[in-house]
C-alpha cells in the first residue's frame, strides 16, 4: 500500500497508469475488508483522493461502493482521514452523476454533524477551519440538485447550524453559508420562507457591509430575494378578491363607479428597508 501511495503522488501520469492497472477495485476491496488498520485504510483513501483529481476518471470513480465507503469513514476516521474523505467526495461531486450518488449516500446529515461538533468543541484558534471549509463546499456543491437541497432542509439542526455560522463563523464561512442559502432560496419559495423565519436578516446586513467581496454580493442578493418575495406576498394579499364580494360592494348603483377594496395585506418588506442606507446588487 505504501508503494502505491508513493507512485500515485509522484506524477500525474502515474495516477493514470494506476487506474488502467485496476487499482480502484483493489482499493475498494481493501477498504471493505476488516483486516486493514485505520491508518492503512486512510492511506487507501489518500490514493483514491489523488486519483479523483483526474478529471477523466471522476465518472469512473462514481461507484456506489466507493462513495458509500467514503461517507462511512466520516463516522470512524481520524481527523485527517475525515478531511481526506471529504476532499475525495468534493472532487467526485464536480460531476452531476456523482452529486446524485453522494446525496443518496446520506452524506448531508454526516456533514452537518461534523459542523455541529466543530462549532460546539472548537473555538477561536482551535477551530478546524479546513474541515469546516470542506464541509461547506460539499453542501454548496450538492445545492445544485434537489436531493441535496432537501437533504439540507430536512437534516436535523441543519438550518440552525448554518444560521449560527452566519454570526460566529469566519468571513469566508459566512460567505459560503450565504451562498448556500441563496441557492436553496432561489429554487423554492417554501424553503426560502423557512430560512427567512430563522431571523437571518441582521446577520446578512452585517455581511453585506463587512463581509468579503463575494460575501457582500451573496448577502445583498439574498436580501434582495427576500425583499422581492415579501413584495409578491404583499401584492397577493392586498389584491381585492372581486369574485367573493357581493355585487353591491363592487359596483355603485348610484354613479356606476368601482369601489376599491380595502388593503388587508402586510406591509411590504421593501418599506422596512427603505429608510436604511443599503444598496442592493441586482441579480
Amino acid at each position: 500500500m505504501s508503494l502505491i501511495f508513493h507512485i500515485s503522488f509522484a506524477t500525474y501520469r502515474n495516477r493514470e497508469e494506476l487506474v488502467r492497472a485496476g487499482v480502484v477495485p483493489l482499493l475498494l476491496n481493501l477498504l471493505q475488508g476488516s483486516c486493514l488498520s485505520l491508518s492503512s485504510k486512510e492511506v487507501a483513501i489518500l490514493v483514491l483522493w489523488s486519483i479523483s483529481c483526474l478529471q477523466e476518471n471522476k465518472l469512473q470513480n462514481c461507484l456506489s461502493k466507493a462513495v458509500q465507503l467514503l461517507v462511512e469513514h466520516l463516522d470512524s476516521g481520524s481527523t485527517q482521514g475525515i478531511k481526506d474523505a471529504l476532499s475525495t467526495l468534493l472532487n467526485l461531486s464536480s460531476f452531476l452523476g456523482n452529486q446524485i450518488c453522494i446525496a443518496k449516500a446520506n452524506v448531508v446529515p454526516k456533514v452537518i454533524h461534523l459542523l455541529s461538533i466543530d462549532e460546539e468543541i472548537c473555538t477561536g484558534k482551535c477551530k478546524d477551519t479546513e474541515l469546516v471549509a470542506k464541509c461547506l463546499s460539499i453542501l454548496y456543491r450538492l445545492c445544485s440538485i434537489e436531493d441535496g437541497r432537501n437533504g439540507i432542509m430536512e437534516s436535523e439542526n441543519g438550518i440552525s447550524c448554518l444560521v449560527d455560522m452566519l454570526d460566529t463563523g469566519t468571513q469566508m464561512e459566512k460567505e459560503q453559508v450565504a451562498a448556500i442559502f441563496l441557492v436553496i432560496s432561489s429554487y423554492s419559495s417554501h424553503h426560502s420562507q423557512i430560512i427567512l423565519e430563522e431571523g437571518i436578516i441582521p446577520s446578512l446586513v452585517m455581511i453585506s457591509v463587512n463581509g468579503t467581496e463575494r460575501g457582500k454580493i451573496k448577502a445583498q442578493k439574498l436580501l434582495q430575494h427576500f425583499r422581492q418575495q415579501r413584495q409578491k406576498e404583499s401584492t397577493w394579499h392586498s389584491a381585492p378578491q372581486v369574485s367573493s364580494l357581493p355585487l353591491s360592494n363592487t359596483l355603485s348603483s348610484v354613479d356606476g363607479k368601482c369601489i376599491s377594496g380595502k388593503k388587508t395585506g402586510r406591509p411590504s418588506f421593501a418599506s422596512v428597508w427603505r429608510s436604511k442606507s443599503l444598496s442592493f446588487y441586482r441579480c
Side-chain angles (χ1 to χ4, degrees):
M1 180 59 66
S2 177
L3 178 60
I4 294 176
F5 170 77
H6 288 294
I7 291 174
S8 69
F9 277 85
T11 66
Y12 193 87
R13 179 173 294 180
N14 283 1
R15 300 174 192 177
E16 295 176 330
E17 293 298 328
L18 284 172
V19 171
R20 293 192 192 99
V23 75
V24 174
L26 171 63
L27 293 171
L28 296 181
N29 287 333
L30 289 174
L31 287 172
Q32 281 183 301
S34 58
C35 58
L36 278 186
S37 64
L38 178 62
S39 59
S40 296
K41 286 186 176 182
E42 294 191 339
V43 170
I45 289 175
L46 260 180
V47 177
L48 272 179
W49 170 80
S50 70
I51 293 173
S52 73
C53 295
L54 298 173
Q55 295 291 325
E56 62 270 25
N57 289 317
K58 286 182 180 177
L59 287 175
Q60 178 182 343
N61 282 338
C62 182
L63 304 171
S64 57
K65 277 198 262 186
V67 170
Q68 192 62 49
L69 290 169
L70 290 168
V71 172
E72 289 174 0
H73 197 73
L74 300 181
D75 292 327
S76 57
S78 66
T79 300
Q80 187 58 52
I82 289 173
K83 291 179 187 178
D84 294 334
L86 289 171
S87 296
T88 308
L89 290 168
L90 185 58
N91 282 345
L92 295 176
S93 67
S94 298
F95 289 84
L96 176 60
N98 294 1
Q99 292 170 8
I100 296 172
C101 185
I102 292 170
K104 290 186 180 299
N106 205 35
V107 72
V108 172
K110 296 182 184 294
V111 168
I112 294 293
H113 179 65
L114 289 173
L115 289 173
S116 301
I117 292 177
D118 187 83
E119 189 172 355
E120 291 173 3
I121 300 177
C122 303
T123 57
K125 294 181 180 179
C126 296
K127 185 173 185 178
D128 196 333
T129 54
E130 182 186 0
L131 184 143
V132 173
K134 293 179 188 296
C135 288
L136 292 177
S137 295
I138 288 177
L139 292 180
Y140 178 73
R141 191 70 63 76
L142 295 181
C143 279
S144 61
I145 61 172
E146 186 176 5
D147 285 343
R149 295 190 296 273
N150 290 339
I152 294 172
M153 296 301 299
E154 296 169 4
S155 179
E156 184 179 2
N157 301 324
I159 297 302
S160 60
C161 175
L162 294 175
V163 169
D164 288 342
M165 294 187 70
L166 285 178
D167 291 323
T168 62
T170 65
Q171 292 295 348
M172 186 59 67
E173 291 164 3
K174 292 177 181 179
E175 173 191 319
Q176 289 177 296
V177 174
I180 290 170
F181 283 155
L182 179 59
V183 175
I184 293 176
S185 298
S186 299
Y187 275 95
S188 168
S189 58
H190 174 63
H191 288 166
S192 177
Q193 185 63 33
I194 293 175
I195 293 170
L196 180 60
E197 289 172 356
E198 289 289 329
I200 68 172
I201 297 298
S203 298
L204 291 176
V205 172
M206 291 298 296
I207 296 170
S208 70
V209 176
N210 300 318
T212 64
E213 288 306 310
R214 287 175 58 85
K216 289 177 182 178
I217 294 174
K218 299 297 183 183
Q220 290 166 357
K221 284 186 176 182
L222 192 50
L223 286 168
Q224 184 183 46
H225 171 81
F226 288 144
R227 181 181 63 181
Q228 291 173 344
Q229 182 171 308
R230 283 293 178 87
Q231 286 175 334
K232 289 178 182 178
E233 291 176 359
S234 179
T235 300
W236 186 86
H237 285 296
S238 62
Q241 303 297 315
V242 177
S243 60
S244 63
L245 294 175
L247 184 61
S248 58
N249 288 344
T250 308
L251 300 176
S252 172
S253 59
V254 177
D255 55 14
K257 294 181 180 178
C258 290
I259 301 175
S260 60
K262 185 178 180 182
K263 275 192 174 184
T264 58
R266 291 178 291 177
S268 169
F269 184 73
S271 65
V272 177
W273 298 103
R274 194 170 290 129
S275 61
K276 304 291 183 182
S277 58
L278 296 176
S279 60
F280 295 95
Y281 283 83
R282 294 188 178 275
C283 297

